[in-house]
Amino acid sequence: MEPAYKILIADDHPLFREAISSVISSGFSGSEIIETADLDSALEITRANDDLDLILLDLNMPGMHGLNGLISLRNEAPTIPVVIVSAEEDKQVVLQAITYGACGFITKSSPRAQMTEAIQQILNGNVYLPSDIIRTGKENTSRRSRHEENPISPELLNSLTRRQLLVLERMSKGESNKQIAYNLNIAETTVKAHVSAILRKLGVHNRVQAILSASDVDFSQYLKR
């Protein structure tokens, strides 16, 4: 039997709450769904329900003030996974949300099946990033002025083995260890070993920092060798 989850949907659009609630009900039957429409009540619900499995958070609902609301929620409940669900499709906003503690970012334009897969990945303990946004990196003026805030030097990239480069490339597309193992036809334990080696060689502390650093790398250039 599928596990039942307790999930908070925090969004000020009733139609979208209804839509995401439907996705959860059909994809994760037996789950308890709590709904709210502003940050203050989301914080109250979080305080009263420390057994929440997941919070789906809209970036633009009342009280959020952009990513400040995410920071407040993470400070209030650091152990509860928070995924941003937003119409925003700017790469920098997505990556900043992950930097500030979100464990995933789902765009509201995502197909139903993709939303279900994203939620499942996050409930499984993985970070979910919209690969199309991460790959294309929709440009804007602030993005160009802040281009490559945390770049990886060519020397560090050249220190990675070919297989580690392939794993890092797939990490930067938002793939989970399980997906990487499947796509590269290797064991998941091998992927974990590669990830640990990559973090050590790049001098970063976690997977998210590696993804942020690698988001603008042209991997084809390094895989030619």
Side-chain angles (χ1 to χ4, degrees):
M1 183 177 171
E2 290 182 4
Y5 298 102
K6 190 172 184 178
I7 298 175
L8 170 63
I9 303 171
D11 193 296
D12 63 331
H13 291 90
L15 282 176
F16 184 74
R17 287 202 307 274
E18 184 180 328
I20 197 75
S21 179
S22 171
V23 168
I24 294 166
S25 296
S26 59
F28 309 92
S29 58
S31 293
E32 179 183 349
I33 300 168
I34 305 171
E35 297 184 20
T36 188
D38 59 71
L39 180 64
D40 287 344
S41 57
L43 289 167
E44 283 181 28
I45 291 167
T46 302
R47 291 186 198 107
N49 296 271
D50 60 2
D51 59 340
L52 282 169
D53 293 296
L54 183 63
I55 299 171
L56 297 164
L57 186 68
D58 178 30
L59 267 187
N60 299 311
M61 69 178 179
M64 282 295 289
H65 305 296
L67 290 165
N68 289 325
L70 169 62
I71 295 168
S72 299
L73 200 54
R74 295 297 297 139
N75 289 338
E76 184 65 42
T79 62
I80 300 173
V82 178
V83 58
I84 298 297
V85 185
S86 175
E88 181 62 66
E89 295 194 7
D90 180 79
K91 181 178 177 180
Q92 281 302 312
V93 174
V94 175
L95 295 179
Q96 282 174 357
I98 301 297
T99 304
Y100 292 150
C103 58
F105 197 107
I106 301 172
T107 57
K108 289 188 175 182
S109 59
S110 301
R112 187 185 186 92
Q114 190 176 324
M115 279 193 182
T116 304
E117 168 64 21
I119 293 169
Q120 184 65 72
Q121 271 198 45
I122 293 157
L123 288 169
N124 288 345
N126 294 309
V127 172
Y128 176 83
L129 294 170
S131 58
D132 51 340
I133 293 176
I134 299 305
R135 193 163 51 241
T136 58
K138 302 200 174 187
E139 298 287 345
N140 61 26
T141 52
S142 66
R143 163 74 197 282
R144 283 192 291 271
S145 66
R146 296 170 43 180
H147 183 60
E148 290 191 320
E149 279 184 354
N150 304 296
I152 305 175
S153 70
E155 291 77 20
L156 284 178
L157 284 166
N158 282 320
S159 75
L160 301 179
T161 65
R162 179 180 175 81
R163 184 51 63 90
Q164 287 166 356
L165 282 168
L166 289 168
V167 170
L168 179 59
E169 180 180 26
R170 292 195 171 276
M171 283 168 60
S172 70
K173 293 176 180 177
E175 291 187 11
S176 66
N177 286 351
K178 188 174 183 179
Q179 286 176 305
I180 295 170
Y182 176 80
N183 287 323
L184 296 183
N185 197 27
I186 55 178
E188 194 171 347
T189 51
T190 305
V191 175
K192 289 177 181 176
H194 283 317
V195 171
S196 296
I198 289 165
L199 301 187
R200 187 177 66 253
K201 286 184 177 181
L202 297 184
V204 295
H205 300 295
N206 56 48
R207 189 187 191 93
V208 172
Q209 288 179 328
I211 291 169
L212 287 168
S213 299
S215 61
D216 290 314
V217 171
D218 178 6
F219 283 93
S220 62
Q221 177 184 340
Y222 294 92
L223 289 166
K224 285 176 184 174
R225 66 175 197 237

